Structures are given as C-alpha cells and as structure tokens.
Amino acid sequence: MTTDAPAIEGRDLVRRFDVKETRQHVTALDGVSFAVARGSLTALVGPDGAGKTTLIRMGCGLMAPSEGSLKVLGMDSVKQAQQIQGRISYMPQRFGLYEDLSVQENLDLYADLHGVAKKERRARFDRLLTMTDLGAFTERLAGKLSGGMKQKLGLACTLVRSPELLLLDEPTVGVDPLSRRELWRIVEQLVKEEKITVLVSTAYLDEAEKCDHVLLLREGKLLAAGPPGDIRDLAKGRAFFARPAGAESPRQLQDRLLCDAAHVVDAVPQAGQVRFISTGADALPELPAAHVEPAPPRLEDGFMILLHKAAAAPPRHATRAAVGASRVHDENEVVIDVKELVRKFDDFTAVSHTTFSVHRGEVFGLLGPNGAGKTTTFRMLCGLLPPTSGTLRVAGLDMRTAPGAARRRLGYVAQKFALYGNLSVQENMRFFAAAYGVERGRIPARIGELLEAFGLTQSRARPASQLPGGFRQRLSMATALLHEPEILFLDEPTSGADPLARRDFWHRITMLAEQGTTIVVTTHFMEEAEYCDRIVIQDAGEILALGTPAEVRQRAGQAADMEQAFIAIVEQGRRERARKQSDGVARPPEGDGSEVHSAALTR
C-alpha cells in the first residue's frame, strides 16, 4: 500500500434495510463510489435521508454494505473491521458523554476504554483541553456544560488517542455560531498539525465550503464530488439579491420567489434583502430592475441547483387550510407579555429581569449562545417551567396561575424529538389529536390534511423512530398544529435539517403568520433570524439586543449578515460584563439593557 492511497475508498456501495412493519426494503445507499484523500478534510452533505450517517457508520466498520466494497486505510471494512476501529476515531451525532462525571473523569474513562497508556495521557489531555478551551472546567460535571461545551468535550474524548482517520457525524448540530467557529478551528488545526484525515457530515453548507472536498448525496446516490469551488461555480451568473418593495417583508418576498418555480431555484433572506438563484442566467422573475443586483455564488447555491436538477425541490402546494386556521387579527394586540422575568436554579440565575412583548401574527426569534438562558425563557413561555419572579402572560392568561388553560391554546415543537418512536406516524397523530381535544369526528380529516401538507402520506404507517431527522421534525410540527393553536412555540425546529427542509419549514411558518398565528422560535441558524419580525439576543441570562433584524444588525455596526452581528453583539456583551466584574462596579439590574435596545423596545 502506498501512502498516497485513499484513506477511504468505496466502489458501487449499496446498503438496504428491511422494515418489518411495512415488509419493504429501504435503500439507504445506491451504487455510491467515492474516495477520500489522506490528510484531507472532506464534507459529506445532502438532504435528510440521503444516506450520510449510513455511509459514515460503514466507514467505521459498524455496518456492512449489502453490495460493493469499502476500503478504510487500505483494509476491507467488513473482514478487517476490528483493525480499522483500532486506528480511527468516530463521533456520532449523539456522543455518549457521562453527564454525572466531570470533564476530567470523562477524559479518563475514554482513555481507559481506548487503552491509552498512563504516561501518554497528561500531554494528550493538556493539548486537548487547550484546543477546546475546557482547561478551566475539568471539575465541572458534563451534565452542567452548555451544548457547545458538551460537543467540544465529546470531540476531546473522541481524540484521547491520535487517530489516522476521524469521522464526525454532524458535530455542530444544535451548536451556536460561536461554538461552531471554535469546533471548526479545532478540526482544521488537527488536519494541519497532526495530518489527520477527516470525513465530516454537516447540515451547514458554509462549513462544507471550508473543506478540501465535498461529497453530495441525495436519496442514496452521489450527485457530485469535488472541490467546493467546482460546485459553487455552477451558480455563476445565476445568483442575485432582490430588495423588497413597499411594505413587503424579506420573508414575504422570499416566499413569493420560491413559489415561482419557473424562474427561481432557491431564495433565502439575507441582510434585509433576499438572495435568490435563477433557473438560468436569463430566467429572472418579474421584479423591478432597480431592485435586483448580482450576488457572488456560494457552495449552497450550487448545492440547491444540483438538487433542483435531480427533481428534489420541496413541494410548495400546502394549502393554508391544511396548515392552520385563518384568524382576523390586530397586529398591535399583545399576546405574550413578559416583565422582569427571573428564573433561578438554587443560587444560579438562568434568566435575569427579562422584559419584552410579542404581538399577534408576529414571528419572534429567541437567539443566544448555548447556555444563554433562551431555552429556560422558552420553557417558561410555554408553561413548562414556572418563573421565580416577574410577570408572564400568554394568550391573555397568567402563566403563574393558569398554565394549563394557556397550554390548550398553544402548540409546541421540542428541540429533541418528543413523540412515541414505537408508534407509527398516523398513530402518533391520532393519539395527540385526542390529547389536544380535537373533536372526534374531525380527527381523521385533520390528520389527512396534515399528512398531505407535510409530505408524510407515504410514511403514515412507518414507526416514528425509523424516520430520518427531517421527517421527524415535519411530524413534530404537524402534530403541534392538530388543534390549530393560536401561538406556536418552536425550539430549534430546524436543528440538523438540510437547506431544502429549512426552506420548506419556513414556507409553512410564513403561511401561519399570515393567517394570524403567533410564532416564537429559537434557532442557531442565523439566516433564520432574518425571517423573524423581531429578535432578542440573550447571553448569561441577560438581554443584549432586541428589535427588528435590521435594528440588530445596525447595533452591531458594519456586520454584513446576522451571523456576524450575533457574534459581535455577544462578544461585546461578554467584554463589557468582564470589565464590570474586574472593575468591581455594581451592575444595574440585569436584563434592563436600556443602553442597548431602548429604541427597539417598541414595534
């Protein structure tokens, strides 16, 4: 074997699964051939259900191909699986941290499991703790870490031995932009300094753009393979910015463009405009010429063009009646009113003196780094967690005294899949329709409407546990809409979803908001903040910024997009907090933030 032989080489790979409940075969990989060069950073991208996790698990020797051959580090992935596992490291989507053990105890445990010699550990641990910035947290229980810190600890535990090949299955799912940046700094450092080969699957196309090579899968087939620039160049001359006219919001313009399938492949809000990809250089939608200008192509643009050619465009025919009930509404009506809200856990303050309001039909975003307090705020708004103090009224009801009555008027999609995995799609919907009090005679028709609207009709008999991640999210949202709630809470609903699934999701959100449904959403995709009418950015339990996306970007100075604005605002807030603490200056009541967002407190 020569040193320039591929680290991974697959030929005509096929992987089928038997689904006992439906007595059918599911083909996860269908004739895939590819190679991963040694010392390279390769991204594996594609829509939900494309076969990314299956391919990575086969690369680890945890799953055998039904047909074809796969060599890893020159060895047969089936006959020499044990030898392969001794030379690689693998971080699955849900890495098995022991939450009742400290950071150091987790590292020690994984070093024991991998047989790392005692004399080698100290230097290795010191390097990993430095790379991950976890050196100050070695005694903290893993269960007490933020989401981003848990992912960094998971990566450190994966790397307690130095592997030749590192396989990462969506390591940044559910991680905020700051933590994502830190994780990628670590990965890039490993490739550069330790010459480790890395294969990483990701839902973030900006991450894939940093890689040497990209593999694009769709429905088990390889659509494209090559440097990111080759895929990006497919969009040359076809990427544009469109500026909304009159009272039209970027979200509404985006939805209108996506419905013009004859001229538009993709559209997404960006910095107060809408970035769209045309079906051809001369195939532009009907827009004022003064409102359209060329945009530099991105990898995501080429990705969407390839999926469009493969007829993978999401259905855009969901009827408004199927999604939710239309309501005559007053946009100035306050449906969520939060004043001086505080939540403490023993002596730890998770949310501190938070004040804001949400109006009828508004899309309101809660943003913040992992551990910022947004999920705690979110759970209080839903009536799942009582506040320590302050005032909280939702749908006109006091959540301290009548949370049950308020919840009957709310829909809720949890961050983690919370339906019954052993029940089929249809059985889950039937159960929750009854639990939500949907009129018995109305249940079959309502389930049918939502199955059709969310593209779940063909999966109605499939157990929920066997659905791909994006389909699970569709099922969760369809279930939350069964009783046609007036307020819908969505906790990171597109976490891990590919761009196609995210566009489809926000198309439905736009329809719901137009009908008068109020939406409160948390997200780590900063592009999704641009869909919101207003957003709040929290960190350490305090509000750092509150206002429209344009007001928040302006607050961050010359930020080109929301991700840059988010990072700038959070880092500025942390510097200010550290300065006050080092100066010993008594802080004003936390969360007042009047110096940051006084102009944005009114709609």
Side-chain angles (χ1 to χ4, degrees):
M1 182 188 72
T2 59
T3 56
D4 60 352
I8 311 177
E9 185 175 18
R11 293 189 178 180
D12 302 317
L13 289 173
V14 175
R15 175 65 200 196
R16 302 185 189 91
F17 295 96
D18 294 326
V19 182
K20 294 180 181 178
E21 290 78 5
T22 60
R23 298 181 181 179
Q24 295 178 337
H25 297 293
V26 174
T27 302
L29 291 175
D30 188 4
V32 172
S33 298
F34 71 101
V36 174
R38 288 179 182 264
S40 69
L41 176 54
T42 299
L44 189 58
V45 299
D48 294 305
K52 302 186 294 295
T53 295
T54 299
L55 186 57
I56 284 181
R57 288 178 61 82
M58 287 171 61
C60 298
L62 298 174
M63 188 181 291
S66 303
E67 297 176 20
S69 64
L70 179 64
K71 286 191 174 183
V72 179
L73 301 177
M75 296 177 283
D76 187 286
S77 67
V78 177
K79 297 177 182 178
Q80 298 169 284
Q82 192 168 354
Q83 294 98 306
I84 289 171
Q85 290 163 8
R87 294 168 60 183
I88 70 170
S89 288
Y90 166 52
M91 183 176 173
Q93 289 182 26
R94 295 179 181 176
F95 187 79
L97 288 176
Y98 292 85
E99 298 207 343
D100 56 346
L101 297 183
S102 69
V103 167
Q104 185 62 59
E105 288 168 337
N106 269 281
L107 288 170
D108 289 335
L109 175 61
Y110 277 93
D112 289 340
L113 291 173
H114 288 297
V116 180
K118 298 284 185 183
K119 61 182 180 180
E120 298 175 9
R121 295 188 187 190
R122 189 67 267 153
R124 188 67 182 169
F125 288 171
D126 286 347
R127 174 164 171 71
L128 291 170
L129 291 169
T130 299
M131 289 174 68
T132 57
D133 293 323
L134 289 173
F137 304 96
T138 53
E139 300 305 313
R140 183 173 295 187
L141 295 181
K144 299 293 185 182
L145 298 175
S146 69
M149 293 171 76
K150 285 180 180 178
Q151 289 297 90
K152 288 194 287 185
L153 176 57
L155 183 56
C157 290
T158 301
L159 294 167
V160 289
R161 63 176 179 187
S162 183
E164 295 176 55
L165 171 65
L166 176 62
L167 298 130
L168 303 172
D169 195 1
E170 301 202 13
T172 56
V173 165
V175 173
D176 66 82
L178 283 166
S179 298
R180 276 208 301 135
R181 185 176 64 177
E182 292 169 1
L183 279 163
W184 271 89
R185 175 181 54 79
I186 296 167
V187 171
E188 289 170 334
Q189 188 175 347
L190 287 168
V191 174
K192 181 179 179 180
E193 297 181 4
E194 298 192 15
K195 310 303 180 186
I196 294 175
T197 305
V198 179
L199 175 63
V200 54
S201 69
T202 178
Y204 293 90
L205 273 296
D206 62 323
E207 292 181 349
E209 202 145 14
K210 301 174 183 178
C211 296
D212 304 308
H213 200 78
V214 177
L215 303 173
L216 170 56
L217 290 173
R218 183 243 169 181
E219 293 184 355
K221 293 183 180 292
L222 187 66
L223 289 189
D230 290 356
I231 298 174
R232 183 173 59 241
D233 287 349
L234 295 173
K236 273 188 175 179
R238 296 171 59 179
F240 300 90
F241 285 120
R243 192 169 69 253
E248 188 175 40
S249 69
R251 184 178 73 236
Q252 292 168 329
L253 174 57
Q254 182 240 11
D255 193 59
R256 180 160 63 88
L257 288 170
L258 281 178
C259 289
D260 184 3
H263 300 99
V264 177
V265 171
D266 183 41
V268 62
Q270 183 179 333
Q273 302 184 90
V274 175
R275 178 192 184 87
F276 73 92
I277 310 303
S278 67
T279 53
D282 299 322
L284 292 178
E286 291 187 14
L287 293 169
H291 287 221
V292 178
E293 61 182 44
R298 302 183 304 187
L299 175 64
E300 186 167 306
D301 303 334
F303 172 94
M304 299 299 281
I305 287 171
L306 286 168
L307 293 179
H308 187 265
K309 284 182 179 178
R316 296 169 187 159
H317 59 272
T319 65
R320 299 181 190 279
V323 175
S326 293
R327 297 180 175 87
V328 177
H329 61 283
D330 178 2
E331 294 182 353
N332 294 316
E333 178 189 357
V334 174
V335 294
I336 298 176
D337 192 22
V338 178
K339 293 179 180 176
E340 292 294 310
L341 194 65
V342 174
R343 174 65 202 198
K344 295 184 177 181
F345 296 92
D346 298 324
D347 59 348
F348 172 69
T349 301
V351 176
S352 179
H353 301 280
T354 293
T355 296
F356 62 84
S357 61
V358 183
H359 300 80
R360 177 78 66 187
E362 185 173 21
V363 180
F364 189 85
L366 288 174
L367 311 180
N370 296 107
K374 63 183 184 301
T375 297
T376 301
T377 301
F378 193 85
R379 289 174 61 82
M380 287 190 285
L381 295 177
C382 299
L384 299 174
L385 189 67
T388 302
S389 63
T391 302
L392 174 56
R393 297 185 68 84
V394 177
L397 297 168
D398 189 331
M399 296 301 284
R400 295 173 66 89
T401 58
R407 280 198 295 267
R408 286 192 287 272
R409 300 165 68 176
L410 314 177
Y412 175 59
V413 177
Q415 181 178 348
K416 295 181 179 178
F417 187 66
L419 303 183
Y420 293 97
N422 60 329
L423 297 183
S424 70
V425 168
Q426 185 163 285
E427 287 168 341
N428 265 289
M429 295 184 75
R430 190 180 298 120
F431 173 83
F432 282 98
Y436 283 134
V438 178
E439 186 180 340
R440 181 175 295 182
R442 169 74 172 133
I443 289 177
R446 183 63 181 151
I447 289 176
E449 290 168 355
L450 288 163
L451 287 172
E452 175 66 21
F454 284 89
L456 293 168
T457 302
Q458 299 302 316
S459 304
R460 65 197 309 160
R462 192 172 178 181
S465 62
Q466 295 182 10
L467 295 173
F471 281 72
R472 290 188 185 188
Q473 290 299 80
R474 288 193 220 170
L475 175 58
S476 295
M477 189 168 173
T479 301
L481 291 170
L482 282 162
H483 59 306
E484 299 177 310
E486 57 184 276
I487 304 174
L488 182 61
F489 290 93
L490 305 167
D491 193 4
E492 296 190 28
T494 58
S495 179
D498 64 88
L500 275 176
R502 296 202 303 272
R503 307 293 192 270
D504 190 32
F505 169 84
W506 279 99
H507 173 62
R508 300 175 198 283
I509 291 301
T510 297
M511 291 193 297
L512 284 165
E514 288 178 357
Q515 293 166 219
T517 302
T518 303
I519 312 293
V520 180
V521 59
T522 69
T523 180
H524 283 314
F525 284 99
M526 290 300 107
E527 72 176 38
E528 295 187 348
E530 298 283 0
Y531 290 92
C532 298
D533 297 303
R534 288 187 302 147
I535 59 175
V536 62
I537 296 179
Q538 290 177 282
D539 191 30
E542 303 177 19
I543 289 182
L544 299 182
L546 170 61
T548 66
E551 289 169 338
V552 171
R553 287 196 308 275
Q554 186 177 13
R555 167 72 182 86
Q558 300 300 314
D561 56 34
M562 187 56 70
E563 181 156 320
Q564 291 182 20
F566 175 90
I567 291 173
I569 287 170
V570 171
E571 290 183 336
Q572 179 183 339
R574 290 179 177 179
R575 286 193 299 269
E576 181 67 14
R577 191 161 54 247
R579 185 188 63 77
K580 289 178 179 178
Q581 290 172 347
S582 65
D583 291 346
V585 176
R587 290 187 291 173
E590 293 179 336
D592 173 54
S594 57
E595 75 283 1
V596 175
H597 55 79
S598 58
L601 284 172
T602 57
R603 194 179 183 188

